[in-house]
């Protein structure tokens, strides 16, 4: 796997032509595997012999993984993404009240207001009509929403994004990876301590006091891990979803015209973007608890496995010979696995969909001539094979 990331689709196509499952070499010469095919990934994500807890990660348990390994946080952070069975259900139930359909709908006016406010600032931020849409719109929108949910002061948002960015990057050195994790833990520890002492009307306060009916509650490490997960997953993925959708529409003006004519919806744009250019490329990790044969390939017990969402989204065996085509009117809708499948399906999916739909609708209503200010090939990619997005998105607001 290339630690520098880059656009994954050409490499995905080459790998898919060889099969739905492939061996990979992770940073640090760690051996792993990736599941790329849509059907194979769907089976893998819900297979009873596949676990998320790193106690099943053979090399890690053998002491063969260094502390500064850039992917170690994904394997070891306490929380829903590394829990299985009853433990996972317990953690998920404690979080679920914040992401019900009713709670998400209650957030709609706030998301609309924040979107409008950010759009108001784009003209002021532009130089000769050009502005970085990622920095001034696609990032602060989901970051603002998730931090408001958690009760994080606006002054900390830039710092938390910088730390999140480092944590999901796969090209950082050991010292930088450990420092980012340590600083993130310190910031979130301070927040949790403040809310424990002085609870407010936010998710962090609710998590510090939430108890199951039997009295169980989040432990200190689980609380910090859950906050970290919520902040990173709550904005990095939606950020990529918005920027990837804007890039897709700018490159496919015919599809944009379909939405404007009423022949398709902004929801169709969001779903096709999730399929065609998934916000997450390869997500770490799952581990077979026994040797697992998937699409004719054996994945040995204890192997760290990447879920290849961006590859599965363009798998021609699942999406037909035109899988590479961006088509918001795709027959049968845009089937995809980009928000997961099975017990670990993304809890924040309704919020991400709502934010992205409102963002795109209001953005193109305000700036109908918006277009990329540089060729697609010149957009700098985020240095990660986990996230799938760009570092900057310069656009010309009025075409």
């Amino acid at each position: 796997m290339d630690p520098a990331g880059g656009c994954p689709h050409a490499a995905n196509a080459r790998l898919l032509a060889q099969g739905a499952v492939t061996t990979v070499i992770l940073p640090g010469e760690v051996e792993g595997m990736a599941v790329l095919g849509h059907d194979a990934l769907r089976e893998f994500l819900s297979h009873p012999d596949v676990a998320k807890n790193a106690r099943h990660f053979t090399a890690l348990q053998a002491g063969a993984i260094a502390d500064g390994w850039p992917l170690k946080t994904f394997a070891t952070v306490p929380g829903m993404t590394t829990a299985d069975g009853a433990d996972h259900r317990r953690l998920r139930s404690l979080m679920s009240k914040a992401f019900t359909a009713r709670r998400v709908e209650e957030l709609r006016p706030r998301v609309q207001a924040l979107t409008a406010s950010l759009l108001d600032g784009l003209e002021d931020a532009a130089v000769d009509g050009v502005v970085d849409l990622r920095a001034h719109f696609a990032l602060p929108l989901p970051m603002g929403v998730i931090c408001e949910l958690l009760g994080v002061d606006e002054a900390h948002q830039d710092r938390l994004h910088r730390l999140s960015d480092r944590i999901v990057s796969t090209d950082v050195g050991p010292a930088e990876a450990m420092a980012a994790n340590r600083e993130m833990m310190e910031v979130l520890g301070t927040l949790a301590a403040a809310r424990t002492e002085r609870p407010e009307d936010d998710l962090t306060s609710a998590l510090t006091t939430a108890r199951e009916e039997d009295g169980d509650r989040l432990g200190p490490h689980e609380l910090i891990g859950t906050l970290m997960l919520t902040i990173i997953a709550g904005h990095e993925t939606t950020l990529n979803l918005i920027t990837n959708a804007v890039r897709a529409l700018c490159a496919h003006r015919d599809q944009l015209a379909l939405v404007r004519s009423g022949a398709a919806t902004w929801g169709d744009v969001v779903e096709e973007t999730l399929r065609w250019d998934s916000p997450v490329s390869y997500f770490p990790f799952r581990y077979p608890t026994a040797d697992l044969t998937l699409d004719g390939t054996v994945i040995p017990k204890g192997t760290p496995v990447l879920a290849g969402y961006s590859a599965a989204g363009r798998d021609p065996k699942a999406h037909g010979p035109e899988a590479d085509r961006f088509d918001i009117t795709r027959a049968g809708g845009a089937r995809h696995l980009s928000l997961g499948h099975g017990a670990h399906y993304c809890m924040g999916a309704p919020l991400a969909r709502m934010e992205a739909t409102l963002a795109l609708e209001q953005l193109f209503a305000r700036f109908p001539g918006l277009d990329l200010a540089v060729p697609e090939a010149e957009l700098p990619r985020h240095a990660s094979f986990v996230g799938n997005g760009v570092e900057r998105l310069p656009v010309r607001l009025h075409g």
Side-chain angles (χ1 to χ4, degrees):
M1 304 301 296
D2 182 359
C7 183
H9 300 298
N12 287 346
R14 289 194 298 272
L15 291 171
L16 275 169
Q18 300 171 36
V21 182
T22 186
T23 57
V24 296
I25 301 299
L26 301 165
E29 299 300 306
V30 175
E31 295 183 2
M33 298 189 79
V35 181
L36 312 161
H38 179 278
D39 292 347
L41 182 57
R42 182 182 174 89
E43 178 183 352
F44 180 72
L45 293 176
S46 58
H47 200 287
D49 294 332
V50 173
K52 292 280 279 177
N53 194 299
R55 66 187 178 87
H56 300 286
F57 186 173
T58 300
L60 181 67
Q61 298 305 317
I65 305 296
D67 283 342
W69 192 48
L71 296 169
K72 193 169 185 179
T73 296
F74 288 101
T76 60
V77 62
M80 288 184 296
T81 58
T82 55
D84 298 306
D87 199 31
H88 174 252
R89 288 191 294 273
R90 174 180 65 88
L91 293 167
R92 195 172 177 97
S93 70
L94 289 168
M95 282 286 289
S96 62
K97 295 180 181 63
F99 295 99
T100 62
R102 181 183 62 82
R103 177 63 177 132
V104 169
E105 195 55 35
E106 288 174 352
L107 288 170
R108 182 178 293 273
R110 178 58 188 136
V111 175
Q112 289 176 320
L114 180 55
T115 301
S117 174
L118 291 170
L119 291 174
D120 289 341
L122 285 182
E123 293 274 19
D124 292 338
V127 177
D128 295 330
V130 175
V131 65
D132 181 355
L133 196 71
R134 183 187 188 275
H136 294 281
F137 182 68
L139 167 58
L141 176 58
M143 192 63 165
V145 172
I146 205 67
C147 284
E148 185 168 316
L149 260 180
L150 291 171
V152 177
D153 190 276
E154 187 175 346
H156 297 304
Q157 292 184 17
D158 286 347
R159 183 184 185 191
L160 286 172
H161 172 66
R162 176 178 57 80
L163 294 172
S164 297
D165 197 57
R166 290 292 80 198
I167 289 169
V168 302
S169 294
T170 49
D171 69 337
V172 298
E176 189 176 0
M178 293 173 70
N181 276 278
R182 189 163 50 246
E183 187 177 349
M184 176 70 91
M185 293 290 190
E186 290 171 358
V187 173
L188 297 179
T190 301
L191 171 65
R195 288 299 182 268
T196 300
E197 185 177 335
R198 297 181 304 279
E200 297 184 13
D201 184 22
D202 55 50
L203 180 55
T204 302
S205 299
L207 289 172
T208 62
T209 58
R211 292 178 182 271
E212 294 273 47
E213 290 181 5
D214 61 2
D216 198 7
R217 67 187 299 173
L218 290 172
H221 294 297
E222 290 176 332
L223 174 60
I224 300 302
T226 297
L227 292 175
M228 182 187 294
L229 160 69
T230 306
I231 288 173
I232 295 176
H235 88 278
E236 291 278 356
T237 50
T238 308
L239 157 63
N240 288 346
L241 173 55
I242 294 170
T243 56
N244 290 357
V246 170
R247 291 166 46 230
L249 290 171
C250 288
H252 301 84
R253 309 301 291 197
D254 60 320
Q255 301 296 297
L256 181 57
L258 288 173
V259 184
R260 288 177 168 153
S261 71
T265 69
W266 290 110
D268 294 330
V269 174
V270 168
E271 296 308 314
E272 179 67 349
T273 302
L274 285 166
R275 181 199 71 82
W276 186 73
D277 205 10
S278 171
V280 176
S281 193
Y282 290 91
F283 194 79
F285 287 114
R286 284 173 166 83
Y287 321 93
T289 57
D291 288 356
L292 176 66
T293 300
L294 203 62
D295 196 51
T297 299
V298 176
I299 306 178
K301 174 184 177 180
T303 300
V305 182
L306 299 171
Y309 293 114
S310 62
R314 296 198 188 188
D315 181 0
K317 291 183 178 179
H319 306 293
E322 294 192 328
D324 281 341
R325 187 163 63 91
F326 182 74
D327 179 8
I328 62 175
T329 62
R330 187 168 292 276
R335 291 188 306 126
H336 63 80
L337 298 167
S338 293
L339 295 168
H341 176 65
H344 286 270
Y345 182 79
C346 176
M347 184 177 289
L351 180 58
R353 284 184 163 113
M354 186 256 281
E355 288 180 26
T357 302
L358 289 176
L360 294 169
E361 181 178 16
Q362 293 189 42
L363 174 66
F364 283 97
R366 183 78 68 92
F367 303 105
L370 182 143
D371 205 354
L372 298 185
V374 300
E376 168 74 28
E378 294 180 13
L379 294 174
R381 305 290 305 196
H382 181 54
S384 173
F385 58 74
V386 176
N388 175 35
V390 294
E391 278 291 344
R392 292 185 299 279
L393 186 59
V395 298
R396 198 169 297 282
L397 293 175
H398 303 287

